[in-house]
Amino acid sequence: MTMSDDDILAPRRSRSGSSRTTSSGAGARGPIIDQDGREVRPETLEQGFREFRFELGKDNPFAGSPFGNLTREQRIARVEAIAKLLDVAFILPGTNIRYGIDGLIGLIPVVGDIITTAISLWLVREARALGAPWYVTGRMLGNVALDGVVGLVPFAGDAFDVMFRANMRNVRLLRHWLDKQPRL
């Protein structure tokens, strides 16, 4: 017995004249079939959707921030790690010259320097969030500006990026200020 296209697209009508519906409501067109060809009861679907949800309340440690609620020490460690990645992550083979992703991305004209300057500015913003005063963040911004402007010069600017290491200087400024602060 083969089915016509009409039987596939529209459910068969029972003898009473009403279309076959599932228990999920009058608007259902037919049974729900899983990938193995078995019928799925609507109750199990509703239960599955209730179990699948995101908790974004206050009790969730990752609510509102993609990095979670970090302690002061964790923020400082993150700033230091990013600065090291940007400025001194690699060693030029056969020499003692250290360079980072800042020097590599900076090889892309203009766009690379904009990207690395934006990351450096984010580090300054983190320092400000850690409570660094304006005179410290002002010096940090000066380092970033100098690194960004000179970095725009092809090749010579990239060599300057490798030697100047603005992000490591900024972490040193932040550390120096933090060491002077009383411990709570």
Side-chain angles (χ1 to χ4, degrees):
M1 176 172 121
T2 61
M3 295 177 73
S4 69
D5 288 341
D6 294 334
D7 288 336
I8 293 172
L9 297 175
R12 292 186 183 193
R13 299 201 179 270
S14 66
R15 291 185 185 186
S16 65
S18 65
S19 64
R20 189 172 93 190
T21 61
T22 59
S23 62
S24 65
R29 295 179 56 82
I32 300 169
I33 307 295
D34 69 1
Q35 63 188 14
D36 297 325
R38 294 184 297 253
E39 185 173 348
V40 177
R41 294 191 339 250
E43 301 84 37
T44 58
L45 284 177
E46 290 170 8
Q47 178 186 5
F49 285 126
R50 271 185 259 123
E51 292 174 2
F52 183 76
R53 64 177 186 243
F54 293 104
E55 295 292 330
L56 299 175
K58 289 187 225 176
D59 298 335
N60 184 359
F62 298 106
S65 172
F67 298 111
N69 296 328
L70 300 177
T71 64
R72 185 178 175 97
E73 289 78 24
Q74 289 172 328
R75 279 181 174 237
I76 294 167
R78 181 175 65 184
V79 166
E80 288 176 344
I82 292 172
K84 286 179 183 177
L85 179 67
L86 286 170
D87 288 342
V88 294
F90 311 108
I91 298 175
L92 193 63
T95 66
N96 283 336
I97 299 173
R98 298 188 72 89
Y99 65 98
I101 292 178
D102 187 0
L104 295 175
I105 296 174
L107 290 172
I108 302 168
V110 181
V111 175
D113 295 307
I114 291 172
I115 291 170
T116 56
T117 301
I119 296 169
S120 297
L121 287 172
W122 180 79
L123 292 176
V124 174
R125 183 214 157 276
E126 281 291 304
R128 188 72 186 143
L130 285 166
W134 283 108
Y135 68 90
V136 173
T137 54
R139 287 188 64 191
M140 293 172 79
L141 285 172
N143 288 336
V144 172
L146 181 63
D147 187 41
V149 169
V150 176
L152 289 172
V153 177
F155 300 114
D158 298 318
F160 179 79
D161 280 344
V162 170
M163 298 303 169
F164 185 64
R165 299 178 182 159
N167 299 301
M168 292 303 294
R169 286 175 186 257
N170 288 344
V171 166
R172 218 177 356 230
L173 283 170
L174 180 63
R175 265 286 172 206
H176 184 71
W177 176 78
L178 286 170
D179 289 342
K180 290 182 177 181
Q181 301 308 306
R183 299 284 178 186
L184 297 175

